[in-house]
């Protein structure tokens, strides 16, 4: 894959004056490495698969050239009725990311004087309003797969004229959870189109799936220098003391804001209740909350009105929370790739950030896997006043030590773990 070079000025990337004027207003000083290398290729019509750190500017990387291509195709004329067709389609895994990407695109197109119509569609809200927004078609559609399929079945939109397809958070979009929906959507889009894949991580199983989606793609794997602004630390704790350690750290460090990840929806509510008893008010963010409530909580957190937010992994993908000082893994993510997405909510765009993981003896093995998959190695630390009881921990580790499974005929020797693993 291509290695990074020093970024050029935005003017040197071939962007047109309305975009350059808007970037100046937004105080974008110079392109990030992913923007500098990818934008010229996208403008040239090439397929692209790009991996870069979270917070590296991936949205602008595909949004700016897509806006320019559509604007030039229309000769700068205002959007006119196009039936129920769409030119640029961006697929994302979560509702919040759909709204965020659409808002960014609308901001970038401020100097196009209505020439480009951008619409976002996602579940959890009324479909009727979205159908009204799609009347006359649109130039750019940002969508979650499930809601898009609903709208297609209602004949509110067609994909026959899609010229550019973007999969944002592509590793999630190509995972098993979206495979069936994505296959249906790809079957409805033209075979001849530009396809762009963006993500912070590309596991091997995902890379194999991309071969059928792209034609002679430009491949970029960039590690931004901004990644060094994120400090990762891991604290070992005694079983049952995670909440006490978490509350202690929040009080001691007096973080302006903290984003705490747990693995289950009920775990969010349970942890919020336990922190409340320790004098810490926290809001929760998960899939069981209505879309209106989710939007209010997220906007409140972004605005600094909420100090502590406890969330499942729906907050781990693509959300841009400006100057978030700390992300805490109360529960370790099930997927090693999700670890990188979670911690990428902090230390974005060159800001200093901190990512903490709290692990007890049951987490030791899994955290080693996370380290191995992500090619990192972190020192194990302890919080003063909450030192780990080594004797008890060693005994517990011995109790869950993997045991060899007897070899069977024609089967590989495997390891299994006791029920309490």
């Amino acid at each position: 894959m291509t290695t990074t070079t020093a970024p050029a000025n935005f003017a040197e990337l071939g962007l047109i004056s309305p975009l350059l004027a808007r970037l100046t207003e937004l105080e974008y000083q110079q392109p990030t490495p992913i923007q500098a290398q990818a934008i010229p290729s996208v403008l040239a019509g090439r397929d692209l698969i790009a991996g870069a750190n979270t917070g590296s500017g991936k949205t602008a990387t595909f949004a700016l050239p897509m806006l320019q291509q559509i604007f030039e195709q229309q000769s700068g004329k205002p959007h006119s009725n196009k039936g129920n067709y769409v030119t640029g389609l961006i697929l994302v895994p979560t509702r919040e990311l759909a709204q965020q990407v659409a808002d960014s695109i609308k901001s970038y197109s401020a100097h196009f004087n209505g020439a480009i119509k951008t619409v976002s569609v996602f579940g959890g809200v009324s479909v009727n309003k979205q159908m009204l927004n799609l009347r006359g078609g649109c130039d750019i559609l940002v969508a979650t797969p499930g809601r898009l399929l609903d709208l297609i079945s209602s004949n509110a939109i067609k994909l026959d004229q899609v010229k550019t397809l973007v999969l944002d958070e592509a590793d999630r979009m190509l995972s098993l959870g979206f495979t069936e929906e994505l296959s249906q959507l790809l079957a409805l889009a033209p075979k001849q189109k530009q396809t762009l894949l963006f993500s912070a991580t590309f596991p091997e199983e995902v890379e194999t799936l991309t071969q059928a989606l792209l034609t002679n793609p430009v491949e970029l794997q960039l590690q931004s220098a901004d990644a060094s602004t994120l400090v990762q630390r891991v604290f070992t704790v005694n079983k049952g003391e995670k909440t006490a350690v978490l509350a202690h750290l929040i009080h001691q460090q007096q973080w302006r804001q903290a984003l705490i990840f747990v693995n289950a929806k009920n775990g969010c509510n349970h942890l919020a209740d336990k922190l409340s008893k320790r004098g810490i008010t926290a809001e929760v963010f998960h899939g069981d909350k209505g879309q209106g409530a989710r939007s209010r909580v997220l906007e409140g957190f972004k605005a600094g009105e909420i100090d502590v937010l406890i969330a499942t992994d729906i907050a781990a993908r693509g959300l841009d929370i400006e100057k978030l000082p700390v992300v805490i893994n109360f529960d370790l993510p099930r997927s090693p790739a999700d670890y990188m997405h979670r911690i990428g909510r902090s230390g974005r765009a060159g800001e200093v950030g901190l990512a903490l993981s709290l692990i007890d003896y049951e987490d030791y093995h899994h955290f080693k896997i996370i380290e191995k998959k992500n090619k990192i190695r972190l020192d194990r630390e302890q919080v003063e006043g909450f030192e780990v009881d080594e004797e008890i921990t060693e005994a517990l580790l011995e109790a869950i030590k993997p045991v060899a499974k007897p070899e069977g005929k024609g089967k590989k020797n495997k390891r299994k773990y006791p029920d309490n693993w």
Side-chain angles (χ1 to χ4, degrees):
M1 288 193 175
T2 305
T3 55
T4 185
T5 59
N9 296 323
F10 278 107
E12 297 175 0
L13 299 181
L15 296 175
I16 56 179
S17 57
L19 292 174
L20 293 175
R22 183 56 179 158
L23 293 174
T24 298
E25 291 175 352
L26 294 172
E27 298 183 347
Y28 283 32
Q29 301 299 326
Q30 64 179 159
T32 64
I34 186 67
Q35 292 165 358
Q37 292 201 42
I39 287 176
S41 295
V42 179
L43 285 173
R46 295 289 302 277
D47 282 7
L48 178 76
I49 176 170
N53 300 96
T54 55
S56 59
K58 291 192 294 292
T59 300
T61 303
F62 60 76
L64 295 173
M66 180 184 285
L67 284 166
Q68 178 161 321
Q69 288 167 333
I70 294 173
F71 183 76
E72 291 178 336
Q73 288 166 6
Q74 297 177 177
S75 301
K77 297 178 181 178
H79 173 86
S80 58
N81 192 307
K82 297 184 177 181
N84 52 353
Y85 295 98
V86 57
T87 303
L89 175 61
I90 303 167
L91 296 177
V92 299
T94 67
R95 306 168 188 175
E96 286 74 23
L97 185 53
Q99 187 64 64
Q100 180 176 288
V101 169
D103 288 345
S104 295
I105 293 173
K106 291 175 183 177
S107 175
Y108 295 143
S109 60
H111 290 298
F112 286 154
N113 300 319
I116 295 180
K117 179 181 177 182
T118 300
V119 177
S120 62
V121 297
F122 45 84
V125 295
S126 170
V127 71
N128 294 328
K129 184 177 180 180
Q130 294 177 354
M131 293 178 72
L132 287 173
N133 289 339
L134 288 172
R135 282 187 176 179
C138 65
D139 297 297
I140 298 177
L141 179 62
V142 188
T144 55
R147 176 50 59 93
L148 180 54
L149 285 170
D150 292 340
L151 290 163
I152 291 172
S153 67
S154 300
N155 202 34
I157 196 73
K158 291 183 179 180
L159 306 185
D160 307 45
Q161 296 182 17
V162 168
K163 290 183 172 61
T164 302
L165 170 66
V166 177
L167 299 187
D168 195 10
E169 301 292 340
D171 62 331
R172 175 79 181 276
M173 300 304 301
L174 294 170
S175 66
L176 292 178
F178 286 99
T179 299
E180 183 176 347
E181 293 175 332
L182 186 59
S183 296
Q184 294 179 54
L185 293 172
L186 290 173
L188 296 171
K191 290 185 178 180
Q192 297 297 320
K193 61 184 177 300
Q194 183 180 30
T195 303
L196 313 174
L197 273 58
F198 291 85
S199 186
T201 57
F202 280 98
E204 291 182 7
E205 59 271 21
V206 170
E207 290 187 11
T208 59
L209 293 173
T210 65
Q211 303 305 314
L213 296 178
L214 298 101
T215 303
N216 189 27
V218 174
E219 298 186 27
L220 301 174
Q221 182 61 51
L222 305 175
Q223 296 300 319
S224 168
D226 289 347
S228 63
T229 64
L230 179 65
V231 177
Q232 300 177 56
R233 301 177 70 183
V234 56
F235 293 106
T236 57
V237 303
N238 290 305
K239 180 67 175 176
E241 289 191 352
K242 280 191 181 183
T243 302
V245 171
L246 176 61
H248 169 77
L249 290 172
I250 291 173
H251 284 305
Q252 181 191 62
Q253 301 297 323
Q254 296 183 326
W255 288 305
R256 175 178 54 82
Q257 286 179 301
L259 175 59
I260 303 167
F261 281 104
V262 298
N263 288 339
K265 301 168 188 176
N266 60 355
C268 291
N269 301 323
H270 187 53
L271 181 57
D273 290 340
K274 291 197 292 185
L275 288 179
S276 178
K277 294 175 182 177
R278 296 173 182 270
I280 298 170
T281 301
E283 294 286 346
V284 299
F285 184 80
H286 54 66
D288 278 353
K289 295 181 73 70
Q291 187 56 43
R294 280 167 58 168
S295 297
R296 286 192 296 273
V297 168
L298 188 59
E299 288 306 314
F301 190 60
K302 287 183 176 181
E305 299 165 0
I306 296 172
D307 296 327
V308 179
L309 183 63
I310 304 171
T312 58
D313 278 321
I314 63 170
R317 295 278 178 161
L319 296 184
D320 189 5
I321 303 167
E322 188 175 349
K323 298 181 180 180
L324 178 63
V326 62
V327 170
I328 301 170
N329 288 311
F330 186 84
D331 295 331
L332 292 180
R334 297 180 178 92
S335 165
D338 284 339
Y339 172 84
M340 300 306 296
H341 287 285
R342 283 184 179 187
I343 69 173
R345 299 313 101 207
S346 185
R348 297 175 69 83
E351 295 288 338
V352 175
L354 176 63
L356 299 180
S357 297
L358 304 179
I359 64 173
D360 60 28
Y361 77 96
E362 289 185 331
D363 301 316
Y364 287 6
H365 177 74
H366 186 47
F367 197 77
K368 287 182 179 179
I369 294 175
I370 289 173
E371 288 178 309
K372 181 178 180 180
K373 292 290 186 179
N374 292 304
K375 299 178 181 178
I376 57 176
R377 179 66 177 92
L378 303 178
D379 293 334
R380 281 20 174 198
E381 305 176 56
Q382 297 191 34
V383 179
E384 185 176 353
F386 295 90
E387 289 79 6
V388 172
D389 189 317
E390 300 293 350
E391 291 186 6
I392 294 178
T393 299
E394 286 297 326
L396 291 170
L397 286 171
E398 186 65 27
I400 63 169
K401 187 175 181 180
V403 294
K405 182 179 180 180
E407 291 190 28
K409 185 177 180 180
K411 294 182 179 180
K412 293 182 179 180
N413 186 32
K414 297 182 179 179
R415 290 182 180 272
K416 69 175 183 177
Y417 295 89
D419 293 337
N420 64 343
W421 171 244

